[in-house]
Amino acid sequence: MDRVRQIEMAVRAADAGSFAKAAASLNVTPSAVSHAITDLEKRFHVTLFYRTTRQLKLTEDGEEFAQSGEGVQRLAVEPFPDRRIGRAGRAIRQHDHALAARPRLHR
């Protein structure tokens, strides 16, 4: 499973407060969500959630990860939010501050 999908599962679980609710919203099994989160925890050597049979709560690391994960999800969907695609298919900056701020050379 790709890392972005695992991050999506972790963020959904954090938002939903439940692996089962996250799984339902993603059309996967609760076990798939649990395994994805366990893989992330092992990969990054952190505990993202405090788990009990009745409650799922983010750890401090989990809160930081969830916030970062939301940003990763946004970038995965729209990697260049400050650009739009023109009719010719090329990227056009909507606000190119770098060119506007660059001093002009006079000859």
Side-chain angles (χ1 to χ4, degrees):
M1 178 180 309
D2 78 19
R3 193 171 299 168
V4 173
R5 182 72 169 157
Q6 290 177 324
I7 292 168
E8 179 183 20
M9 290 181 175
V11 170
R12 289 277 180 100
D15 290 342
S18 157
F19 288 171
K21 289 178 186 175
S25 73
L26 295 165
N27 295 320
V28 298
T29 64
S31 178
V33 173
S34 179
H35 287 300
I37 291 169
T38 299
D39 287 348
L40 286 172
E41 290 175 327
K42 286 179 182 176
R43 178 175 289 133
F44 298 119
H45 307 286
V46 296
T47 300
L48 300 174
F49 294 93
Y50 294 116
R51 299 165 175 88
T52 68
T53 55
R54 301 207 182 262
Q55 189 177 18
L56 183 68
K57 199 173 172 188
L58 284 169
T59 64
E60 194 173 312
D61 288 333
E63 287 179 21
E64 185 177 331
F65 183 86
Q67 290 173 354
S68 298
E70 288 171 358
V72 168
Q73 284 182 287
R74 281 192 300 274
L75 288 174
V77 171
E78 188 175 355
F80 302 102
D82 65 331
R83 295 181 183 189
R84 62 182 169 80
I85 302 300
R87 280 189 241 175
R90 58 191 160 82
I92 302 169
R93 286 189 189 271
Q94 290 178 340
H95 304 287
D96 195 345
H97 299 291
L99 287 177
R102 190 173 65 187
R104 295 181 183 217
L105 299 175
H106 297 286
R107 289 184 182 205

